[in-house]
Amino acid sequence: MSRRALRRLRGESRGQSPLGELDVGGGGEDEEEEEEDGEGGGGGEVPSLSGAGGSRRRPRQEPAGRVTNLFELITNEEAEDDVASKEDKDDSRLQEEGDTGNKEGLKTDRQREGDETEQPDQMPISNNKSRKKKKKRKNKKNASGESLCPGDEDDAEDIESILVRIENSSGPPCQSQSTVITDHRPLLYIEHRNLNPETELKRYFGARAVLGDQRPRQRQRQYVRSTWLTVPKNTWPRHSKTGISMTLLETKRGVQHFAFEHHREYQQVQFKFLDAVESMDPNNLVLLLQMNPSHVDSLLQLSDVCRMQEDQEMARDLVERALYTLECAFHPMFSLTSGTCRLDYRRPENRAFYLALFKHMIFLERRGCPRTALEFCKLILSLDPENDPLCILLIIDLLSLRAREYAFLTRMFQEWEGHRNLSQLPNFAFSVPLAYFFLSQQEDLPESEINQAHERAASLIRQSLVMFPNVLMPLLDRCSVQPDSTVASHAFFGLDAQLSSPPVLNQLLALYLGRTHSLWKDPAVMAWLETNVHEVLRMVDAKNPVLEEAEQKRKARYQNAPRNVYRHVILSEIREATAALPPEVTSQPIMGFDPLPPLDSIVSYTRPERATHPANESTLSLFFRSLLPNFNLQGEVRAGGEEEPGAGQNLNQGVNRLMAAMRDMLANIQFQEPPRDDNPEGDGGEWD
């Protein structure tokens, strides 16, 4: 009787037999019968793994939920889904049974062969199990928790969109937080990340919209020096030795004074640049830049030419190239963020850096990056805060309002009012109360701070209207607002206030109104202004002594503007302000690469003088000099009016050279023959 028949009689299933009796080899019934005959009359006894050959082993009753058939672990996936925590127990139990079987051994050759065939089959079973177990655990984690892998990009976009929505919904949301965080920092503290306009554009439009396909291209880009002021582009010429360097002059009271230096080769290029400017031909600047692509003054001057020709992109690119060239020449100790590094504007070598920063700041403001422009504005002011050669105080209020940095503007007014008298500048007199008003409109501030800001704004705007009454009517005209009859008919804000204002004050007011009139068009701002205007008219009717004091201040001040104010007006290019420049400024030549240089300039090298020619030259002499620039028909004349010895001999030599040059020129002239007529009879074509 075969072993299968014995199992059927006992009611056992094949999967309930001990581990050593599994038919892993898959031999079938014939092999089982041969094995039964080879055992030598074992009857129906089944050898156990424990080594008790004569004792019969009863079928083990498996606990509920345990897999009885090992091959079900490969095909049956439902069992894995039902019992995931019990698979570790099965693995350990199978390993224990296999270890005991290997330690005690089997006595017959057939059993050894069965063990050898059983081991390779168990390995893929366990490997398959562990692989499926890991996959199932991973799927369970992804199903129970939030899956982050498939939607990483979407989540990043959601975060950016949330930040932009928060900022646009409640004005500047981080304004109150910035006042708490940055109060301990210096006023002109600069952050490197705010010098990059892409940081601000990413906050507005998202990183994907700003960068686009730039990320993979940057990996293939050639190595360039990383800078903070600009981002070098692949289209720029390769950076090489420029001939510009920076040196540390001295250190006083923790403040370091630096200066740019021009090497001898750069000085020669500078002289060629001055000749190109005097020629009034932009093509000469282009040729000079082709030979010297890192000449800073040529880049700035050609940028002005491109801007006049409405090529704004090229103009901005040339300014960024100039900034990159200057930053590559920085001293190792020169820091943009410390606020303790100074550059003297009286040195001509330092002026190019000031002008490049100013032009770049204007381009950023027009590009729609007021926060980045404000950071550059603070950088320019930190280079020389005492003298302020470009008069940055006339524009820093505008950039603060457009960047919604109201806390910075109010803090600057509080800290600098004592020693700089910022309230005497019309732009600060009107921008600071406007900043306080915007602060009072923020809903995230406490009620006490809102009331305090509102009261402060009302007090300051009334003082400004009393001090500068000639601002109101031009401001309303710019905003296309018609004043009521009470204000229009009152003499305090009428035509007399316009005519009695000093010219310098009118120039400052035209500069302020030309830039910031759009900020006053808000209906809430206009309603707030109207309320305070009526309060000022009540003060005027009551003959408040403050009015007389303000009038005396206007007459005593604003007589002559300093040179840096005129320099700022020229660089701003606002028509109303430039039209009010005095004749002593407009009568002298104004160069774009160095507008209104200081009268006490510190010159390190000078341009070589050209040979002067007498004014009473004849037409023949001028003609000869156009052919030979060094030719002098009248001979060299001394300072006393006496002719030098040998002047006649030099004249003869010059005439001989001129005649030889003319003979060579005539000999090299070749006349082109007219084209021959292939049809001499003239009847080739027809008349229409």
Side-chain angles (χ1 to χ4, degrees), residues 54 93 123 193 195 254 313 427 500 556 645:
R93 195 168 296 152
M123 291 296 294
R193 63 184 183 89
L195 293 174
E313 187 67 24
N427 58 314
S500 62

Side-chain angles (χ1 to χ4, degrees), residues 250-490:
E250 58 181 356
T251 303
K252 290 182 179 180
R253 299 178 181 178
V255 178
Q256 299 170 335
H257 296 267
F258 295 87
F260 285 98
E261 284 188 351
H262 294 172
H263 299 171
R264 185 176 299 274
E265 296 82 5
Y266 194 89
Q267 293 178 12
Q268 299 299 324
V269 179
Q270 187 73 13
F271 299 151
K272 296 179 182 179
F273 164 73
L274 296 177
D275 295 339
V277 172
E278 291 179 357
S279 68
M280 306 296 291
D281 188 2
N283 295 324
N284 294 333
L285 291 176
V286 175
L287 294 175
L288 184 62
L289 273 178
Q290 290 178 355
M291 302 298 296
N292 306 276
S294 298
H295 188 255
V296 178
D297 286 340
S298 298
L299 291 170
L300 297 179
Q301 189 71 22
L302 192 59
S303 173
D304 293 340
V305 175
C306 294
R307 186 171 43 80
M308 293 177 184
Q309 296 177 355
E310 302 298 332
D311 192 354
Q312 301 293 334
E313 187 67 24
M314 178 59 68
R316 181 165 58 90
D317 188 74
L318 292 172
V319 172
E320 291 180 0
R321 282 175 56 183
L323 278 178
Y324 178 73
T325 301
L326 291 171
E327 188 174 1
C328 291
F330 278 177
H331 192 274
M333 297 179 63
F334 187 82
S335 174
L336 297 173
T337 59
S338 63
T340 59
C341 298
R342 301 288 185 265
L343 286 175
D344 195 350
Y345 193 81
R346 295 178 299 173
R347 297 181 178 273
E349 297 86 351
N350 296 339
R351 296 171 194 168
F353 187 55
Y354 277 93
L355 296 175
L357 288 175
F358 189 90
K359 294 176 184 293
H360 187 57
M361 176 190 67
I362 297 298
F363 279 120
L364 288 173
E365 192 268 337
R366 294 175 180 174
R367 189 182 175 186
C369 301
R371 183 65 185 87
T372 310
L374 176 62
E375 209 71 11
F376 275 90
C377 188
K378 293 192 292 183
L379 174 59
I380 300 173
L381 187 58
S382 66
L383 295 177
D384 194 356
E386 297 298 330
N387 299 318
D388 192 10
L390 298 184
C391 208
I392 295 299
L393 292 178
L394 295 178
I395 195 176
I396 195 171
D397 60 303
L398 167 69
L399 299 178
S400 301
L401 291 175
R402 289 192 174 176
R404 299 180 179 178
E405 292 290 331
Y406 310 127
F408 167 77
L409 182 59
T410 55
R411 180 189 173 191
M412 185 177 189
F413 181 77
Q414 294 172 3
E415 294 184 6
W416 285 27
E417 169 63 18
H419 65 284
R420 300 296 291 268
N421 292 327
L422 297 182
S423 60
Q424 301 306 311
L425 294 175
N427 58 314
F428 268 91
F430 285 90
S431 294
V432 172
L434 188 61
Y436 275 112
F437 174 76
F438 286 141
L439 283 175
S440 66
Q441 301 299 310
Q442 296 183 5
E443 300 177 354
D444 55 344
L445 292 179
E447 188 69 23
S448 58
E449 294 185 10
I450 292 177
N451 295 333
Q452 184 180 0
H454 191 76
E455 294 176 359
R456 183 67 173 162
S459 174
L460 289 176
I461 193 61
R462 292 169 190 172
Q463 296 177 13
S464 302
L465 290 172
V466 170
M467 186 65 192
F468 307 104
N470 54 338
V471 175
L472 181 63
M473 290 303 178
L475 178 61
L476 296 178
D477 185 36
R478 290 264 188 168
C479 297
S480 303
V481 174
Q482 184 69 26
D484 55 9
S485 58
T486 306
V487 178
S489 60
H490 205 284

Side-chain angles (χ1 to χ4, degrees), residues 518-639:
S518 59
L519 299 174
W520 294 85
K521 292 183 177 181
D522 189 2
V525 175
M526 198 56 64
W528 165 72
L529 178 63
E530 182 183 3
T531 303
N532 290 280
V533 166
H534 287 287
E535 291 294 331
V536 171
L537 290 180
R538 294 190 189 97
M539 294 171 58
V540 174
D541 295 337
K543 297 182 179 181
N544 197 312
V546 179
L547 303 175
E548 185 69 21
E549 182 181 355
E551 186 177 359
Q552 295 297 328
K553 288 182 179 179
R554 284 196 302 271
K555 292 180 180 180
R557 301 168 182 173
Y558 312 109
Q559 299 300 322
N560 292 317
R563 200 170 179 85
N564 60 343
V565 174
Y566 293 142
R567 192 179 298 122
H568 180 90
V569 171
I570 293 172
L571 292 174
S572 65
E573 297 182 352
I574 295 180
R575 296 179 181 178
E576 295 80 0
T578 54
L581 286 172
E584 59 268 15
V585 176
T586 57
S587 60
Q588 56 182 327
I590 299 176
M591 301 297 179
F593 65 93
D594 190 8
L596 295 181
L599 301 177
D600 55 347
S601 299
I602 303 175
V603 181
S604 58
Y605 65 93
T606 57
R607 182 183 179 185
E609 296 182 359
R610 290 185 174 184
T612 58
H613 305 289
N616 55 350
E617 288 185 292
S618 62
T619 306
L620 181 62
S621 177
L622 293 175
F623 171 71
F624 285 160
R625 183 168 292 111
S626 65
L627 299 177
L628 291 175
N630 296 328
F631 176 76
N632 189 2
L633 183 62
Q634 299 177 355
E636 298 292 336
V637 182
R638 293 184 178 180

Side-chain angles (χ1 to χ4, degrees), residues 668-679:
N668 293 329
I669 293 178
Q670 296 179 359
F671 296 97
Q672 187 177 3
E673 297 181 359
R676 296 181 179 179
D677 193 359
D678 295 336
N679 190 4

